[in-house]
């Protein structure tokens, strides 16, 4: 049956089932992605689902058909493309009638990553107004990554990341969080969030593990339904979503959490039965609940990119699962399909993608897609189907009515009931793994030290996707309605008649009764968070701190911040109590509510959280033998003792560590860590890709350093290797710019001043230079220290050791 005849039959009969399972046109072979048999799905094996009839009625479909009939081909093609605010202006819509706009992780309004809600609303309104006045006459959809609250926005309510919510095991809580998040998103005028994530992570080395709720597909399905209903409300036939609700996105279809070795955007080398049983269960639940959109995954199934896999996007998702909404791509994900580029990819649309996410590639993509539509490379019926799905969502959002639904009440951002809900969610997410001698809750009147790198660090407790993509530069000042964990615990200890001090290095005048040590992973998001193993590596300073506390007889409560369970058995063994706090967000009071006893000797809340994933007994992943199984969690009501855990990682951690790469695309890999003194401000920036570098600004004379446990680099010395700084000099100043490697220092001030300002450059310094200056390359614990005077600004993308083909002259040795 041809598509036009089928749609006429639908409108006459009012049959909803046929809409979701509409036939898809056959595309020319050259415009499709060949798929191997083991990457071709058999729809009959998959669970059936159906977008509810309340999504779109026969009357709605008639309205949509009338709009499509009036649209030119240019207008239709425009609907298929989404651009990022960093690469388009409202004025561009007069010439390019695009269907959607997104603000990516680093794309704050008007270039301001810390813009307030009113400014967000102003930007969104500008795009909405421009699109209504453009040739398309169809308003744009505006989407954001609001993945744990409206997380791009200072002052918003930031909830625990999904892994923590999974520990709560409370679908009703998830629905309430969805409603609160939607109110804040809609409060800034935004229509659409790219959430919830329905990944079921299998290998915790994956840097997006914390975006998954749990390893249990059943819980993920229950949460997917709850979050969709929370964000959108229950769909009502013939009525748009309420102004306080937004479109949800079930993502990423499919098996983003099942890639080999946990590699981001990798290949899920698994059978179809495993693909269904482990990774697909969340989607029928979300679709049945009325999810308006689904996002395709960057990843691959048995060698076939999901963005171009017609058997998954069309045969399974749209036909078998009856999904009637938009299938949107991920960030330029279509460009990864063989034979495609980010500016030319008919294969994605022909496979079933409806909306390209083309943040910076949109203009040429529009031109090429229009040409291919005219030439028939993309059939007209496929274009009309994609446009229908997009208009269907816009109609359900109330955007096509004479008086469109108006979103935009910035007062909802950070509303008191939402903050209280986040505090509740934090408390319910905490998992107690150890509590020897009932050191918790902290008794009234106790003298408590709160210490560790995470004690007073909002970035560490909020994690990635907070203000910026990687979340590395989040500050307490961004969330004046929040509390760091240290602040919250200190406040409640004092309120209960005790004494409390916050000290990052653990230095206090009076010996404490108990030390709460808050430490864990630094913030990260996709790609940057991938690991070679799942071992947590304490720094030398952290080990010394714990040894000093134990040596003086102070009891230790460890609050562990992480985006995944990690092999931390030594740390657990050293601790009297150990709490898996995940990435709790901004409401530190939720942690204190469980850890601190009030004057009556009881905490406001008991521990109720249970592990959403198994906790590893060694550094290997996937976890075969857990130290604690999924579902484990102690409480005050049901205490238990813990035997000493295995401390053998059962693998060579040094082999997995990145000893030659100190700074990779703006991230510091294990076993290294970044340190900056108070004279330097740091922010993540886009140099050649999204947030792939960090800009360091010296406000006074200061030092940044990359340090870790000493490694032997004598082999590299013998091989003629160099230290490479892949960077951009943004502002050079007079005076020495000192680079130290180990305990030797050279002055590269002249090289810096000779580099072209504002352009990417590579500075190479031979390891022989440092060796000759006195560096001990057999034990390098600080492979990079950079000291500069006030005013110096540089953006660093990579720092590593690499082989040099030519002899590199040495810069002057700095005389101390």
């Amino acid at each position: 049956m041809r598509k036009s005849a089928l749609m006429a039959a639908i409108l006459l009969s009012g049959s909803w089932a046929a809409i979701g399972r509409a036939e898809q046109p056959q595309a020319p072979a050259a415009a499709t992605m060949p798929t191997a048999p083991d990457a071709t799905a058999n729809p009959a094996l998959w669970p059936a689902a159906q977008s509810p009839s309340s999504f779109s009625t026969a009357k709605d479909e008639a309205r949509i058909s009338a709009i499509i009939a009036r649209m030119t081909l240019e207008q239709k093609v425009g609907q298929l493309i989404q651009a990022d605010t960093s690469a388009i202006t409202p004025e561009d819509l007069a010439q390019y009638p695009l269907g959607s706009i997104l603000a990516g992780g680093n794309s704050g309004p008007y270039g301001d990553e810390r813009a307030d809600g009113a400014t967000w609303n102003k930007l969104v309104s500008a795009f909405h107004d421009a699109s209504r006045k453009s040739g398309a006459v169809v308003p744009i959809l505006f989407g954001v990554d609001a993945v744990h609250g409206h997380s791009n926005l200072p002052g918003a309510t930031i909830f625990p990341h999904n892994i923590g919510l999974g520990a709560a095991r409370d679908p009703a809580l998830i629905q309430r969080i969805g409603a609160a998040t939607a109110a804040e998103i809609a409060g800034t005028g935004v229509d659409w969030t790219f959430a919830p994530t329905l990944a079921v992570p299998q290998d915790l080395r994956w840097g997006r593990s914390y975006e998954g709720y749990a390893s249990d597909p059943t819980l993920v399905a229950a949460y997917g339904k709850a979050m969709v209903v929370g964000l959108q409300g229950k769909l009502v036939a013939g009525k748009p979503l309420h102004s306080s609700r937004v479109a949800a996105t079930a993502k990423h279809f499919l098996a983003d959490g099942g890639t080999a070795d946990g590699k981001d955007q990798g290949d899920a080398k698994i059978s179809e039965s495993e693909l269904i049983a482990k990774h697909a269960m969340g989607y029928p639940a979300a679709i049945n609940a009325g999810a308006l959109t689904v996002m395709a995954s960057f990843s691959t199934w048995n060698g076939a990119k999901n963005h171009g896999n017609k058997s998954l996007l069309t045969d399974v998702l749209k036909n078998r699962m009856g999904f009637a909404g938009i299938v949107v791509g991920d960030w330029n994900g279509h460009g990864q399909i063989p034979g495609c580029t980010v500016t030319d990819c008919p294969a994605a649309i022909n496979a079933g993608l409806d909306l390209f996410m083309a943040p910076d590639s949109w203009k040429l993509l529009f031109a090429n897609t229009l040409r291919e539509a005219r030439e028939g490379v993309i059939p007209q019926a496929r274009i009309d189907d994609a446009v229908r799905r997009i208009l269907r969502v816009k109609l359900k959002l109330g955007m096509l009515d004479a008086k469109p639904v108006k979103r935009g009440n910035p007062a909802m951002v950070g509303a008191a009931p939402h903050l209280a809900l986040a505090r509740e969610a934090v408390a319910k997410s905490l998992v107690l793994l150890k509590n020897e001698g009932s050191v918790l809750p902290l008794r009234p009147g106790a003298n408590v030290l709160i210490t560790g790198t995470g004690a007073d660090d909002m970035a560490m407790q909020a994690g990635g996707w907070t203000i910026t993509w990687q979340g590395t530069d989040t500050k307490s000042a961004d969330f004046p309605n929040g509390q760091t964990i240290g602040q919250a615990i200190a406040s409640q200890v004092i309120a209960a008649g005790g004494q409390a001090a916050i000290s990052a290095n653990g230095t206090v005048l009076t010996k404490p009764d108990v030390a709460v040590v808050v430490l864990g992973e630094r913030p990260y998001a996709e790609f940057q968070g991938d690991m070679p193993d799942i071992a947590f590596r304490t720094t030398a300073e952290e080990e010394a701190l714990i040894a000093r506390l134990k040596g003086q007889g102070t009891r230790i409560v460890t609050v562990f911040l992480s985006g995944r369970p990690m092999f931390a058995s030594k740390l657990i063994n050293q601790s009297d109590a150990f709490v898996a706090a995940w990435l709790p967000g901004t409401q530190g009071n939720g942690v204190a509510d469980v850890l601190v006893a009030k004057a009556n000797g009881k905490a406001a809340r008991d521990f109720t959280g249970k592990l959403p994933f198994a906790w590893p007994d060694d550094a290997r992943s996937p976890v075969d033998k857990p130290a604690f199984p999924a579902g484990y969690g102690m409480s005050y009501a049901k205490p238990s003792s813990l035997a000493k855990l295995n401390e053998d990682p059962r693998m060579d951690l040094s082999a997995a560590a990145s000893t030659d790469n100190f700074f990779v695309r703006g991230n510091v890999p294990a076993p290294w860590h970044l340190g900056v003194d108070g004279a330097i401000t740091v922010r993540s920036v886009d140099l050649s890709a999204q947030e792939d570098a960090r800009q360091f600004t010296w406000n006074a004379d200061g030092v940044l350093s990359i340090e870790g446990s000493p490694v032997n680099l004598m082999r590299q010395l013998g091989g003629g290797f160099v230290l490479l700084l892949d960077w951009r000099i943004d502002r050079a100043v007079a005076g020495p710019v000192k680079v130290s490697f180990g305990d030797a220092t050279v002055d590269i001030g002249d090289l810096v001043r000779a580099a072209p300002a504002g352009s990417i450059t590579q500075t190479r310094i031979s390891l022989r230079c440092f060796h000759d200056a006195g560096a001990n390359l057999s034990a390098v614990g600080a492979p990079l220290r950079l000291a500069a005077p006030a005013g110096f600004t540089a953006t660093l993308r990579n720092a590593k050791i690499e082989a040099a083909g030519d002899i590199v002259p040495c810069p002057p040795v700095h005389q101390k």
Side-chain angles (χ1 to χ4, degrees), residues 182-397:
E184 299 202 12
I185 297 168
T188 59
V190 175
D191 318 298
W192 181 16
T193 178
F194 306 134
T197 297
L198 302 181
V200 186
Q202 300 298 301
D203 191 323
L204 296 173
R205 289 176 291 182
W206 186 38
R208 303 187 77 164
S209 291
Y210 65 80
E211 295 186 52
Y213 291 117
S215 60
D216 178 6
T218 303
L219 181 62
V220 172
Y223 270 30
K225 174 183 177 181
M227 184 58 77
V228 167
V229 173
L231 289 167
Q232 298 183 171
K234 292 185 178 180
L235 303 188
V236 178
K239 292 186 178 181
L241 269 59
H242 190 270
S243 60
S244 64
R245 305 287 186 161
V246 297
T249 307
K251 68 178 189 182
H252 305 85
F253 194 82
L254 189 64
D256 48 341
T259 61
D261 301 324
K263 295 296 184 184
D264 192 48
Q265 302 183 23
D267 192 356
K269 301 175 183 178
I270 57 178
S271 67
E272 186 172 9
S273 60
E274 183 177 350
L275 182 69
I276 296 168
K278 290 185 178 178
H279 301 284
M281 292 299 101
Y283 290 91
I287 290 167
N288 289 337
L292 297 184
T293 75
V294 171
M295 184 180 290
S297 176
F298 275 123
S299 59
T300 299
W301 176 41
N302 290 331
K305 278 291 177 183
N306 289 343
H307 273 66
N309 192 327
K310 182 177 182 291
S311 74
L312 288 178
L313 297 185
T314 296
D315 301 340
V316 169
L317 179 59
K318 292 183 174 180
N319 292 347
R320 177 64 174 173
M321 293 187 181
F323 176 62
I326 299 170
V327 178
V328 61
D330 208 338
W331 190 277
N332 278 332
H334 55 277
Q336 297 182 10
I337 298 173
C340 285
T341 67
V342 297
T343 58
D344 191 0
C345 192
I349 298 295
N350 288 333
L353 198 76
D354 301 311
L355 180 60
F356 288 113
M357 185 182 287
D360 53 358
S361 56
W362 61 270
K363 190 174 289 187
L364 279 176
L365 183 63
F366 173 79
N368 286 324
T369 305
L370 179 59
R371 172 180 53 79
E372 287 151 353
R374 286 170 173 161
E375 294 172 351
V377 176
I378 305 174
Q380 182 68 47
R382 173 76 271 266
I383 292 173
D384 284 352
D385 174 61
V387 173
R388 177 173 294 277
R389 290 169 177 272
I390 292 166
L391 296 184
R392 194 177 282 153
V393 171
K394 291 181 177 182
L395 180 61
K396 199 62 187 175
L397 286 165

Side-chain angles (χ1 to χ4, degrees), residues 159-169 204 209-210 212-213 425-433 459-463 485 518-521 524 559-566 578-585 591 607 609-616 629-633:
F159 294 94
H161 268 295
N162 286 353
I163 191 170
L165 298 181
R169 296 176 179 257
L204 296 173
S209 291
Y210 65 80
Y213 291 117
V426 172
K428 289 182 174 179
S429 73
L430 305 178
V431 180
L432 181 62
L433 298 182
M460 280 187 66
Q461 68 187 62
I485 292 171
V518 188
L519 44 73
E521 294 188 286
Y524 56 83
V559 176
F560 191 65
L561 301 174
S562 70
R564 54 196 139 201
M566 303 189 75
F578 190 93
V579 178
W582 316 112
L583 301 170
V591 177
F607 285 93
K610 306 296 180 183
L611 288 177
F613 297 88
W615 194 279
Y632 179 87

Side-chain angles (χ1 to χ4, degrees), residues 556-729:
I556 296 174
V557 174
T558 296
V559 176
F560 191 65
L561 301 174
S562 70
R564 54 196 139 201
M566 303 189 75
F567 174 59
S569 294
K570 180 179 179 180
L571 184 59
I572 296 173
N573 288 337
Q574 291 173 320
S575 304
D576 296 282
F578 190 93
V579 178
W582 316 112
L583 301 170
T586 58
Q587 298 306 299
N589 277 335
V591 177
D593 287 343
V594 183
L595 268 61
V596 182
K598 296 185 177 298
N600 63 5
K602 295 183 178 181
R605 291 179 177 272
D606 198 350
F607 285 93
T608 58
K610 306 296 180 183
L611 288 177
F613 297 88
W615 194 279
D617 188 53
D618 57 38
R620 298 173 295 180
S621 185
V623 178
D624 293 324
K625 180 184 177 184
F628 306 96
Y632 179 87
M634 297 169 56
S635 67
Y636 298 141
K638 296 181 178 180
S640 62
S641 296
L642 179 67
K644 184 178 180 180
L645 300 179
N646 165 63
E647 296 184 7
D648 181 1
R650 301 192 180 107
M651 66 177 290
D652 183 359
L653 298 182
S654 64
S658 181
T659 55
D660 288 357
N661 294 278
F662 318 128
F663 202 85
V664 180
R665 292 181 59 184
N667 186 53
V668 180
W672 311 108
H673 63 275
L674 175 67
V676 293
D677 62 26
I680 303 172
T681 55
V682 188
R683 71 184 188 100
S684 298
V685 297
D686 300 346
L687 195 58
S688 58
Q690 189 178 22
E691 201 160 338
D692 65 337
R694 294 197 206 181
Q695 186 179 67
F696 299 88
T697 301
W698 274 254
N699 302 303
D701 294 358
V703 180
L704 75 81
S705 63
I706 296 175
E707 301 180 10
S709 300
V711 295
N712 188 339
L713 299 176
M714 288 300 294
R715 177 184 61 82
Q716 289 88 335
L717 172 65
F721 283 62
V722 300
L723 169 66
L724 169 69
L725 302 179
D726 174 34
W727 59 348
R728 182 184 69 200
I729 308 302

